[in-house]
Amino acid sequence: MPDHSLSLNQQQQLRQRLVPAQVRFGRLLEMSTPEFEDEIHRTLDENPALAVADGPVADTRDADGIAFSESARELQDADYAPDDRPDRSPADDLPAYRLRDTASHTAERYESVAAAEPASAIEALDDQLADIDLPDSRDREIARYIIGSLDANGYLTRTAAEMADDMAFGQGLDVERADVERVLALLRDALEPAGIAATDLRDCLLLQLRRMTPSVESRTAAEILDRHFDLFAKKHYERLAPALDIPAAAVDDALRLIRSLNPKPGSLLEQAGGHDRARYIVPDFTVDTDSEGHATVGLTGHVPELALEETFDIADDSPEAARLRPDALAFIRTRRDEAAEFISMARMRGLTLMAVMEAIVKLQAPFFADYDRASIRPMVLRDVQRLTGLDLSVISRATATKYVATPRGTFPLKMFFNESVGEGDDAASQHAVMEAIKKLIDAEDSRHPLSDARLTELLAARGLAVARRTVAKYRERLGIPVARLRK
């Protein structure tokens, strides 16, 4: 007989769980300043219990230390107050638009008109389909799918077979590989600028050459790219003339024509109309350094002071709450608690960001004194944790996608975090090593460029003990080719 006896065991386990409030705070902390401003406006629209606090202006004392409490509207009206005519009121000098009641239903209203934004790169290419002979609606759908498969440089990221399969299974469009190849050939010959829908760099350059008026230079350039692209890519130009059996001057003319081509034709469309891909850096912090070397840290953006809306600020045991229906009181309580939580998180976000930025400025004091990247010290998240006492994950979120504006430019916060290179007194930051490599290469003799091994020796002579593979990694990160290609 099997043993079916029951037993009760008691175990003690330690688990760490994130409460929903911690998750929401982490999300707010990761947001950049524009994203956080949008989140505030969205929450103000969705939660009637959240409002912008009304009160005096931020600076509540004048230069003599005398307190005042004029509102922003009163201060604006004061700009039009008469200086030497007591018989006139401020309203007499106000412009007409300031006297108009824009909230009145009888007042004349002015609607803002949005300017037409330029079309995106995909829309610009899609508009060109009207000029291409695609009588079949299925061919037009294929063409749109091909355009949607282009990357930012205008290159085709998928094969004809892959696109045919995707359209068949994803869109229910009965398409053969031959159909995709036929439409693709039409697009490669017709779309502007030339080079759109190329498969790689060589294909892109050849497409542009085929659109040109035939000449000796264009034919030579096409032959170089078609038959000797390896020599061209490795810059073995001296071997092209014997390989083509033509004079070196003819090779130089062909190379000059190739260099005039655009390796990224899609960038032209992005510059002309790629508004949806445009990204602007908005700094989250400002740092100013005075003549004595003292740095002042500040937050940017237009973040309003938030408060609970008066009609929702009702205590549960108050007479006002007793007169409300249970469902109404539950609605008010829920919205009020959500608003109070958001206000608390917004304030905590600001305090956390300021604490992290002040710690970075303190740890990287040499950089904020001269703004030289070589002055950046080795620093990791744990160094900031020692000064702030914050969790590592909080510091990571507070510095992600954040930028600081200084008198010498705007820098990402992630730039200040770097592992040390070397050990002991010879330890240096990655930025110091990279700056040293860049200066050595800038000063090298172009006829005899420095190899990675030679760079390693020169860095060691400067007290920077770095391995050769590390030098190669930093050189590639700087976008500098090997010595052979710098010759």
Side-chain angles (χ1 to χ4, degrees):
M1 294 289 293
D3 185 8
H4 295 288
S5 62
L6 299 178
S7 63
L8 181 63
N9 296 324
Q10 185 176 5
Q11 292 181 346
Q12 185 177 12
Q13 293 181 344
L14 181 63
R15 295 183 179 180
Q16 186 178 16
R17 293 182 179 179
L18 289 176
V19 298
Q22 291 175 312
V23 176
R24 288 192 291 270
F25 176 69
R27 188 173 62 86
L28 292 180
L29 201 58
E30 288 179 341
M31 292 181 178
S32 62
T33 296
E35 291 172 341
F36 183 58
E37 292 175 359
D38 293 341
E39 181 68 13
I40 289 178
H41 294 307
R42 185 190 66 80
T43 308
L44 284 169
D45 293 337
E46 293 181 354
N47 192 346
L50 186 65
V52 177
D54 293 328
V57 292
D59 187 8
T60 58
R61 292 187 178 274
D62 61 12
D64 298 327
I66 301 174
F68 60 89
S69 59
E70 287 89 350
S71 65
R73 174 64 176 268
E74 291 170 339
L75 289 175
Q76 192 172 13
D77 291 346
D79 292 337
Y80 297 95
D83 296 329
D84 55 355
R85 294 186 60 183
D87 59 322
R88 295 177 61 84
S89 66
D92 294 330
D93 292 329
L94 286 175
Y97 76 89
R98 295 279 287 110
L99 296 176
R100 185 176 296 117
D101 183 11
T102 56
S104 172
H105 295 286
T106 59
E108 185 178 3
R109 298 182 61 85
Y110 293 89
E111 297 293 339
S112 59
V113 179
E117 293 183 354
S120 66
I122 293 179
E123 291 172 345
L125 292 174
D126 192 63
D127 291 341
Q128 298 183 33
L129 295 181
D131 300 326
I132 301 177
D133 187 14
L134 295 171
D136 191 348
S137 60
R138 189 181 64 167
D139 289 350
R140 193 165 298 274
E141 290 296 324
I142 296 174
R144 288 196 179 98
Y145 194 89
I146 292 175
I147 291 175
S149 301
L150 302 177
D151 64 10
N153 297 324
Y155 291 163
L156 192 61
T157 59
R158 319 209 60 198
T159 65
E162 291 173 342
M163 289 186 287
D165 292 340
D166 287 348
M167 283 183 280
F169 293 105
Q171 301 182 2
L173 191 63
D174 187 13
V175 175
E176 299 292 337
R177 174 181 175 180
D179 298 327
V180 177
E181 292 176 343
R182 175 175 50 81
V183 175
L184 177 59
L186 292 175
L187 297 181
R188 285 160 57 90
D189 292 336
L191 288 178
E192 295 289 345
I196 292 292
T199 55
D200 53 28
L201 176 60
R202 176 168 60 175
D203 188 31
C204 176
L205 299 178
L206 285 172
L207 284 176
Q208 297 177 56
L209 289 173
R210 290 165 187 162
R211 296 271 192 101
M212 293 182 176
T213 302
S215 64
V216 176
E217 291 82 2
S218 64
R219 286 193 292 269
T220 304
E223 190 173 1
I224 291 174
L225 296 175
D226 188 29
R227 297 174 52 192
H228 305 287
F229 185 76
D230 290 341
L231 296 179
F232 170 77
K234 296 178 180 178
K235 295 188 177 181
H236 293 319
Y237 302 143
E238 70 281 357
R239 297 169 55 182
L240 288 173
L244 296 171
D245 194 18
I246 58 176
V251 173
D252 293 339
D253 293 339
L255 293 176
R256 193 176 300 111
L257 177 60
I258 294 176
R259 294 191 186 100
S260 67
L261 304 177
N262 186 0
K264 300 178 180 180
S267 62
L268 297 177
L269 295 170
E270 293 294 327
Q271 294 171 5
H275 180 78
D276 59 329
R277 292 178 182 261
R279 295 293 183 269
Y280 301 95
I281 293 177
V282 178
D284 305 89
F285 306 92
T286 58
V287 174
D288 293 320
T289 307
D290 57 21
S291 58
E292 298 180 356
H294 299 298
T296 303
V297 181
L299 286 172
T300 63
H302 304 282
V303 178
E305 184 68 22
L306 301 175
L308 289 176
E309 210 278 330
E310 293 181 358
T311 57
F312 282 79
D313 193 7
I314 302 175
D316 294 341
D317 55 353
S318 63
E320 293 86 352
R323 291 193 294 266
L324 294 174
R325 298 201 321 255
D327 56 343
L329 182 60
F331 173 80
I332 291 176
R333 185 186 300 113
T334 301
R335 293 299 189 177
R336 181 193 61 201
D337 293 345
E338 292 175 354
E341 181 185 79
F342 187 84
I343 293 172
S344 176
M345 289 183 179
R347 292 174 181 170
M348 190 184 303
R349 177 184 183 274
L351 294 174
T352 303
L353 292 179
M354 283 294 294
V356 171
M357 190 67 232
E358 288 173 351
I360 292 175
V361 171
K362 185 175 181 179
L363 292 169
Q364 301 291 354
F367 171 81
F368 289 101
D370 56 17
Y371 297 102
D372 184 0
R373 293 200 181 199
S375 301
I376 297 179
R377 295 175 174 176
M379 186 183 74
V380 293
L381 294 177
R382 199 168 297 280
D383 297 326
V384 179
Q385 183 187 39
R386 293 191 187 100
L387 292 180
T388 61
L390 298 171
D391 189 80
L392 293 177
S393 62
V394 172
I395 299 172
S396 178
R397 288 186 173 94
T399 54
T401 68
K402 304 293 193 307
Y403 293 82
V404 56
T406 71
R408 299 291 183 86
T410 301
F411 305 96
L413 294 193
K414 288 298 184 182
M415 182 187 74
F416 302 107
F417 293 91
N418 60 100
E419 298 284 349
S420 61
V421 179
E423 297 180 356
D425 297 335
D426 296 333
S429 69
Q430 297 176 7
H431 297 285
V433 177
M434 292 173 68
E435 285 294 321
I437 294 174
K438 186 175 184 302
K439 289 179 180 179
L440 287 173
I441 293 178
D442 290 342
E444 71 182 2
D445 184 358
S446 59
R447 294 172 298 179
H448 304 285
L450 300 172
S451 64
D452 292 342
R454 182 56 181 161
L455 287 172
T456 304
E457 296 174 357
L458 295 175
L459 290 174
R462 295 188 177 191
L464 298 174
V466 186
R468 188 193 63 80
R469 61 179 179 274
T470 304
V471 172
K473 180 179 68 174
Y474 289 167
R475 175 183 51 75
E476 293 174 356
R477 189 176 299 177
L478 289 168
I480 299 176
V482 296
R484 177 174 51 79
L485 298 182
R486 301 199 308 270
K487 193 170 183 179

